[in-house]
Each structure stands twice: as structure tokens, then as C-alpha cells.
Amino acid sequence: QKEVEQNSGPLSVPEGAIASLNCTYSDRGSQSFFWYRQYSGKSPELIMFIYSNGDKEDGRFTAQLNKASQYVSLLIRDSQPSDSATYLCAVNEGGGGADGLTFGKGTHLIIQP
Amino acid sequence: SQTIHQWPATLVQPVGSPLSLECTVEGTSNPNLYWYRQAAGRGLQLLFYSVGIGQISSEVPQNLSASRPQDRQFILSSKKLLLSDSGFYLCAWSVQRTLDFGPGTRLTVT
């Protein structure tokens, strides 16, 4: 059974610091990796995706992928109180549709002003 | 642009009552559609997905059912709700290898 593991938190980070969120996955055949942000009471929204080993940057967000170690991480630079949310990691084996997507349970991030 | 609508936004239903949640998609044709549930303290659970009208795949055996009467309409139903059916129900459509979620329906079974 495919598993995606995340520390549930809460992870508390001071405003302006770097928040580091980690995710490990069990299926070595996984090809596509996604980070969603979910505010309390709202639906998840996609913020980053990464398909290749290494780093991918988008504004204050950087996704890092290491397929050999089977982990993917999300860095948030210059953290803002508005970044406080639950962050979901999702992994797809890649060849098929989104029915192959497996979600972690999420990490609750708190940015302290 | 593509948009997903879900209604109602919130719902409180007694145990044993029926359920009907509706999802419609705008701005695309023949989308793959999904129903997920997010229960308190648990992750996102895929319930059903559909690749076309009348085509439904069930991921988890339970007292819920789904139907797709039109290309851009996806309905989640139950004949008799259980307490364990409480949760946040999300409709989604696939975008390349991942998902775009609708606003969700918060269901509380009392």
C-alpha cells in the first residue's frame, strides 16, 4: 500500500524565518510530487509541483525532491502569518490519472508574528 | 477558466436520513471527476472517480454512491447516513497529473 508520511505538527516558526516542511513516500515508482496549502475550513489549493530531482523555486516557495531517499520538502522563505495553514504533500506514480494520487495527512504550520 | 461548484456549503443531517451533494464543473469538457472526504484528524480519502458519463469507480466500500448523469455533473448520495459519514466532502477535477478542488461541503451527521 502506498504511503505518504508527514509530521502532523504543529510546526511553529517565527515571522520572517524559513519554514521547512518534509514528506516521505513509500512507492519508489512515484514520478510526480505536489504541495497543497489548506486554510482552516477551506479546500486544498495547489502551490507547487516537482517532477525532477533537485530544487524548484517559485517566489518564496522552494520544493526539493530526492528520489533516491524518497523524500520531498517544501521551504517557505520570509514566512508570513498568512502562511499559517496545513500543508499537504501528494504523490502520484505519474503514468496514470489523478486517481493514482496519494495524500499525506498534512503538517499544521503556525507562523508567529 | 475552469470552475468547480459545490452545494450546499454546509449541511447538518440526522442519522438515517438521505444525502445528495452536487458538483458541477464549468469551462471544460469530459473532465475526470473525483469525490474525496476529509474526516477530522484524517487525511484525504478518495471515495469515487469518474472518467465519463455513467462511468463510476468506487475506491472504498461504504453506504455512499455516486452518479454522473451529465458530462460536467457529479453527484454523491446516500440512502441512510451514518455518524461516521461526517466530514468535509470535496469534489475535484484532474489537471494533468494532479487535482483542482472545489470549495467543499461540510457535512455533520447528528
Side-chain angles (χ1 to χ4, degrees):
Chain A
Q1 183 174 349
K2 301 172 187 176
E3 294 183 345
V4 176
E5 300 288 343
Q6 296 181 256
N7 189 319
S8 62
L11 175 65
S12 186
V13 174
E15 184 177 357
I18 296 175
S20 178
L21 305 165
N22 299 312
C23 170
T24 59
Y25 58 94
S26 63
D27 183 8
R28 284 197 170 273
S30 300
Q31 297 294 323
S32 311
F33 307 86
F34 308 90
W35 284 100
Y36 285 80
R37 178 177 61 201
Q38 186 175 21
Y39 292 116
S40 180
K42 302 296 185 181
S43 60
E45 57 177 329
L46 181 67
I47 56 171
M48 287 286 290
F49 63 88
I50 186 166
Y51 301 151
S52 304
N53 272 331
D55 295 359
K56 179 182 179 182
E57 187 174 317
D58 183 2
R60 296 187 296 112
F61 297 96
T62 299
Q64 299 177 318
L65 175 60
N66 184 323
K67 289 186 178 180
S69 299
Q70 295 177 243
Y71 83 78
V72 56
S73 61
L74 179 70
L75 302 179
I76 306 175
R77 291 183 300 280
D78 188 24
S79 297
Q80 303 296 311
S82 60
D83 295 325
S84 298
T86 296
Y87 289 80
L88 305 176
C89 174
V91 175
N92 200 340
E93 59 189 7
D99 55 284
L101 202 60
T102 302
F103 285 87
K105 294 183 179 181
T107 297
H108 182 39
L109 175 66
I110 299 172
I111 306 300
Q112 295 181 323
Chain B
S1 63
Q2 296 82 12
T3 306
I4 304 178
H5 301 281
Q6 284 187 250
W7 62 90
T10 60
L11 192 59
V12 180
Q13 292 284 97
V15 169
S17 64
L19 173 74
S20 181
L21 302 180
E22 188 164 345
C23 168
T24 59
V25 181
E26 291 181 1
T28 186
S29 60
N30 197 30
N32 288 352
L33 297 174
Y34 304 79
W35 278 111
Y36 277 83
R37 178 171 63 197
Q38 190 175 39
R42 301 183 65 180
L44 282 165
Q45 180 185 30
L46 177 62
L47 301 175
F48 301 95
Y49 69 95
S50 171
V51 299
I53 296 174
Q55 300 177 67
I56 308 295
S57 295
S58 174
E59 291 295 307
V60 182
Q62 54 203 326
N63 68 321
L64 300 173
S65 62
S67 62
R68 187 166 175 180
Q70 300 180 40
D71 181 45
R72 286 172 280 185
Q73 184 184 31
F74 203 21
I75 298 172
L76 182 70
S77 304
S78 174
K79 293 182 179 179
K80 289 185 177 182
L81 283 169
L82 307 173
L83 284 174
S84 58
D85 291 324
S86 292
F88 192 34
Y89 287 81
L90 293 158
C91 179
W93 69 287
S94 62
V95 181
Q96 297 182 350
R97 307 179 194 180
T98 190
L99 295 168
D100 186 21
F101 290 94
T105 295
R106 178 80 55 190
L107 172 66
T108 303
V109 182
T110 61

